[in-house]
């Protein structure tokens, strides 16, 4: 996977999961959706998905519920 450069600050993004990278300024990149701004209610996790008879882990974004 190619190195991703943050479009906001120009720094190199760090990988959390395969297909998910983050920058210190709050910008993230997810393979399926591209660049987006992180918010405090986002939780990044791996979800098991069956693809062609194999179970793979895919990075997903879930949101915290507000009380």
């Amino acid at each position: 996977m190619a190195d991703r450069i943050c479009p906001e600050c120009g720094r190199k993004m760090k990988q959390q999961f395969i297909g998910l990278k983050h920058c210190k300024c709050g910008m993230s990149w997810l393979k399926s959706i591209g660049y987006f701004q992180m918010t405090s209610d986002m939780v990044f996790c791996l979800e098991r998905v069956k693809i062609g008879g194999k179970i793979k882990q895919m990075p997903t974004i879930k949101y915290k519920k507000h009380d």
Side-chain angles (χ1 to χ4, degrees), residues 16-17 20 22 28 36 38 42-46 60-61:
Q16 181 176 359
F17 301 127
L20 176 64
H22 298 298
S28 292
F36 62 95
M38 287 188 293
M42 288 181 173
V43 177
F44 299 97
C45 59
L46 291 173
T60 59
I61 301 169

Side-chain angles (χ1 to χ4, degrees), residues 2-16:
D3 289 339
R4 293 280 166 195
I5 303 298
C6 178
E8 293 290 315
C9 65
R11 285 184 244 168
K12 185 177 173 183
M13 299 180 98
K14 301 289 181 180
Q15 181 171 308
Q16 181 176 359

Side-chain angles (χ1 to χ4, degrees), residues 13-64:
M13 299 180 98
K14 301 289 181 180
Q15 181 171 308
Q16 181 176 359
F17 301 127
I18 293 173
L20 176 64
K21 296 189 177 205
H22 298 298
C23 182
K24 290 180 182 180
C25 71
M27 191 63 110
S28 292
W29 178 83
L30 184 62
K31 186 176 182 178
S32 61
I33 61 174
Y35 291 100
F36 62 95
Q37 190 69 34
M38 287 188 293
T39 59
S40 60
D41 64 341
M42 288 181 173
V43 177
F44 299 97
C45 59
L46 291 173
E47 189 173 301
R48 292 175 182 254
V49 179
K50 191 171 186 176
I51 301 174
K54 291 186 176 182
I55 297 176
K56 296 189 175 191
Q57 292 183 330
M58 305 291 285
T60 59
I61 301 169
K62 295 189 178 183
Y63 295 90
K64 295 179 189 175

